[in-house]
Amino acid sequence: MAKYIFGNFKMNMDIKESTKYVEELLPLVKNSKNKIAIFPSFVNLMFVNQKLTASNVQLGAQDVSYDACGSHTGDVSAKMLKSVGTKYVIVGHSERRKSYYEKNETINKKIKQSLSEGLQVVLCIGETKYERQTKKVQQVIETDLLEALKGLYANELKNIIIAYEPLWAIGTGKLPLVKEVEKVIEIIKNKIKTEYSASAVKDVKILYGGSINSINVKNYINIKGIDGVLIGGASLNPVEFAKIANL
Ligand code: PGA
């Protein structure tokens, strides 16, 4: 089964570096059977998109405005993202939640905007270290899902990819146990089942993200119910990212 292999560049790489990256990556992954996407900075999207034409690598953005247009200085709309060739958009990444105090209510609006422009949403959810220690994982995952997906119709779920990213695992080299990821998959599926239906569960894709590299990915990518991985740090090296994309 083809897996989603997504690389979130975060605030790294200027135009020159992004170009060099794509030139190195494309030949390395051209025979990959997986669904590969890279998520460069907003300012590089258009240029990177030109480089990706006729390749098997798709384009994604790291965030989006919750509004359609208007007085939102510094924001980028879903329509703008779509117009430069973006297919996917990350919404609710923990770094946005933490640094910009993004709440599920805002994330919900961002999701609706993105879907209305035909973008596929990568919704990030996950618990903090403290929430894990105090056994709140289920509560956090369920609340995030309920609030972020509020008002969405079952037929929209096929355009939602849920990335389970424990906050304490992002950029730390720390990883959850396989059984912890399995438990979260079960929580997500059960919640979708109760809020929507058993058939809606089949439409929802689930990724794992947090300290994935080309070695440890093998332990996570084949977990039952995992459809792929969202990679930060290790995606910045095209050779390393290609190793994962070619699994
Ligand atoms: P990481 O980041 O792979 O560097 O831990 C993952 C993410 O933030 O999506």
Side-chain angles (χ1 to χ4, degrees), residues 6 8 10 90 93-95 124 163 165 169-174 208-213 230-235:
F6 286 178
N8 174 10
K10 308 191 178 182
I90 294 174
H93 191 281
S94 65
E95 286 152 16
C124 298
E165 298 207 307
I170 295 176
T172 59
K174 297 195 175 91
Y208 169 75
S211 292
I212 284 293
N213 60 35
L230 178 57
I231 308 153
S235 73

Side-chain angles (χ1 to χ4, degrees), residues 113-124:
Q113 273 302 326
S114 303
L115 294 178
S116 74
E117 289 298 332
L119 293 169
Q120 294 206 28
V121 171
V122 183
L123 165 65
C124 298

